[in-house]
């Protein structure tokens, strides 16, 4: 059996976040100090003792494999293009994350919070807000994904409060950002990298993530690579059992005036087998205004970025990758 990576062999930090759910403020601050170092130096890290049920995670992967193994006509019956809020199936090569490269060699399925069409947020046209599309042939799929969505959302909230502490702010600092927060669960399937790929073809081209933070589950196949900013080389982020890979997105990098880094990453599936991963993109309250945090701005310095709402930021990011 292949040896599993340990904390001494990993090139990204591994942080035990159990104390963030506890009552000891000093223990929470100690975790926050580790988060600060990871976010400033790498923008990527693993977390352990995250509190999400392992049986639920296994069910998510099982349902994802079942969904993607369906015939194409069943998947396309709930194509994302049929949804006004970007929910549903997205086929291979539908997205190009790396400018100038071939489209990404992956297919995916998007899930958000279930919001009915008569909700005031939908009527107002809030971006990426509305009802999901669900596969009718998989009776357990919807319940599993909705349970997982809520569990991942709760973990995202916990980490965001930890990030507030890491920035020398009160744990409640991001409460307005967390109110009515949006998030996207995405199921991803990568076929094996072809033996004769197009020049620059990858499972997922190099990119940074759009939103606040990303919580990533990956199967045992590997393939995720992160750009090391000091050496300008790609380093592997191999799968580690019972962990998430967490990374800072463009929104938090903007919010912290570049202090917390949104790092380039990509996926190249050279395992020779099917690869599955499950990112959860924690976006935040669409109407929340993002402006430079005071602890991230030196005296007399000007913010690097203008104030923007979460929704305005997301719309611009989608425009870049979907044209």
């Amino acid at each position: 059996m292949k040896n599993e990576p340990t904390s001494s062999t990993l090139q990204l930090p591994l942080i035990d976040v159990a104390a963030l759910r506890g009552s000891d403020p000093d223990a929470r601050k100690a975790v926050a100090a580790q988060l600060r170092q990871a976010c400033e130096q790498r923008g990527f890290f693993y977390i352990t003792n995250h509190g999400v049920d392992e049986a639920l995670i296994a069910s998510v992967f099982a349902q994802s494999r079942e969904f993607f193994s369906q015939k194409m006509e069943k998947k396309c019956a709930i194509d994302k293009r049929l949804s006004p809020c970007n929910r549903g199936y997205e086929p291979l090569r539908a997205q190009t994350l790396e400018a100038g490269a071939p489209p990404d060699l992956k297919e995916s399925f998007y899930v958000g919070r279930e919001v009915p069409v008569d909700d005031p947020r939908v009527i107002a046209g809030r971006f990426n807000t509305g009802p999901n599309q669900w596969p009718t042939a998989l009776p357990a799929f919807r319940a599993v994904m909705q349970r997982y969505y809520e569990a991942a959302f709760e973990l995202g909230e916990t980490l965001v409060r930890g990030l507030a502490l890491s920035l020398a702010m009160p744990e409640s600092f991001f409460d307005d950002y967390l109110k009515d927060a949006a998030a996207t669960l995405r199921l991803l399937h990568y076929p094996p990298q072809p033996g004769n790929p197009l020049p620059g073809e990858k499972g997922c081209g190099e990119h940074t993530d759009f939103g606040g933070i990303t919580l990533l589950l990956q199967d045992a196949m590997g393939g995720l690579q992160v750009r090391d900013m000091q050496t300008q080389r790609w380093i592997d982020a191999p799968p580690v059992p019972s962990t998430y890979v967490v990374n800072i997105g463009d929104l938090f990098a903007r919010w912290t005036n570049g202090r917390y880094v949104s790092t380039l990453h990509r996926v190249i599936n050279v395992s020779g087998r099917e690869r599955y991963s499950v990112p959860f993109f924690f976006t935040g309250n669409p109407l929340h205004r993002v402006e430079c945090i005071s602890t991230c701005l030196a005296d007399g310095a000007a913010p690097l970025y203008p104030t923007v709402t979460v929704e305005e930021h997301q719309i611009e990011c989608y425009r870049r990758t979907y044209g």
Side-chain angles (χ1 to χ4, degrees):
M1 185 175 70
K2 185 173 75 171
N3 291 331
E4 298 291 354
T6 66
S7 59
S8 61
T9 61
L10 294 171
Q11 298 187 72
L12 298 175
L14 189 151
I15 302 173
D16 186 332
V17 296
L20 291 180
R21 303 190 305 277
S23 59
D24 184 342
D26 291 333
R28 295 198 300 274
K29 288 178 182 177
V31 175
Q34 295 180 68
L35 293 175
R36 178 172 59 251
Q37 183 177 32
C39 293
E40 289 179 343
Q41 295 180 356
R42 292 288 198 189
F44 263 85
F45 50 94
Y46 295 85
I47 61 169
T48 186
N49 288 322
H50 46 74
V52 179
D53 181 59
E54 294 291 339
L56 176 58
I57 290 172
S59 294
V60 170
F61 275 109
Q63 290 296 314
S64 178
R65 286 190 291 270
E66 279 201 52
F67 174 78
F68 289 116
S69 69
Q70 295 181 111
K71 294 185 181 298
M72 185 58 69
E73 57 264 28
K74 285 189 176 292
K75 292 184 286 189
C76 287
I78 48 174
D79 193 294
K80 185 167 75 75
R81 291 175 297 182
L82 302 173
S83 165
C85 53
N86 295 307
R87 309 285 176 79
Y89 174 67
E90 183 176 77
L92 286 171
R93 299 184 175 92
Q95 186 179 39
T96 304
L97 283 169
E98 183 178 337
D104 294 348
L105 192 62
K106 66 180 190 298
E107 58 178 341
S108 61
F109 187 82
Y110 288 83
V111 178
R113 187 173 296 284
E114 191 71 35
V115 182
V117 293
D118 58 354
D119 186 282
R121 292 168 292 177
V122 179
I123 294 170
R126 293 273 71 85
F127 183 63
N128 273 4
T129 302
N132 290 292
Q133 299 191 89
W134 299 106
T136 57
L138 303 176
F141 185 92
R142 177 173 180 168
V144 167
M145 297 309 161
Q146 288 183 316
R147 281 178 54 216
Y148 178 73
Y149 184 99
E150 296 303 328
F153 191 93
E154 183 176 343
L155 175 58
E157 288 182 311
T158 298
L159 289 174
V160 167
R161 293 191 176 100
L163 290 176
L165 280 179
S166 79
L167 292 161
M169 303 300 282
E171 285 174 286
S172 61
F173 178 75
F174 290 119
D175 278 2
D176 184 65
Y177 167 74
L178 294 174
K179 181 181 178 183
D180 296 326
T184 298
L185 166 61
R186 192 177 186 187
L187 310 177
L188 288 168
H189 167 233
Y190 299 86
Q193 189 79 9
N196 55 341
L198 297 171
E201 186 175 44
K202 306 173 187 71
C204 182
E206 61 182 73
H207 66 287
T208 56
D209 287 349
F210 303 159
I213 58 173
T214 302
L215 316 176
L216 176 71
L217 297 171
Q218 47 180 346
D219 68 7
M221 295 303 106
L224 174 63
Q225 296 182 324
V226 176
R227 190 72 168 172
D228 184 283
M229 294 175 292
Q230 292 183 334
T231 65
Q232 292 301 301
R233 294 181 177 178
W234 292 100
I235 60 175
D236 291 327
V240 179
S242 301
T243 69
Y244 281 83
V245 176
V246 179
N247 64 281
I248 294 297
D250 296 342
L251 188 72
F252 253 93
R254 180 184 191 121
W255 216 339
T256 59
N257 217 35
R259 178 179 172 186
Y260 284 8
V261 291
S262 181
T263 306
L264 284 170
H265 52 288
R266 67 185 186 184
V267 172
I268 303 177
N269 181 20
V270 294
S271 67
R273 300 173 64 184
E274 311 294 311
R275 178 185 189 268
Y276 298 87
S277 69
V278 185
F280 186 83
F281 302 104
F282 198 98
T283 306
N285 180 348
L287 301 181
H288 186 76
R289 291 174 63 80
V290 174
E291 55 188 349
C292 182
I293 297 169
S294 60
T295 55
C296 299
L297 191 63
D299 290 342
L304 297 175
Y305 308 98
T307 300
V308 69
T309 67
V310 171
E311 183 176 63
E312 289 167 345
H313 172 79
Q314 288 294 106
I315 289 171
E316 173 57 21
C317 290
Y318 268 73
R319 185 197 62 79
R320 288 201 310 266
T321 60
Y322 286 108

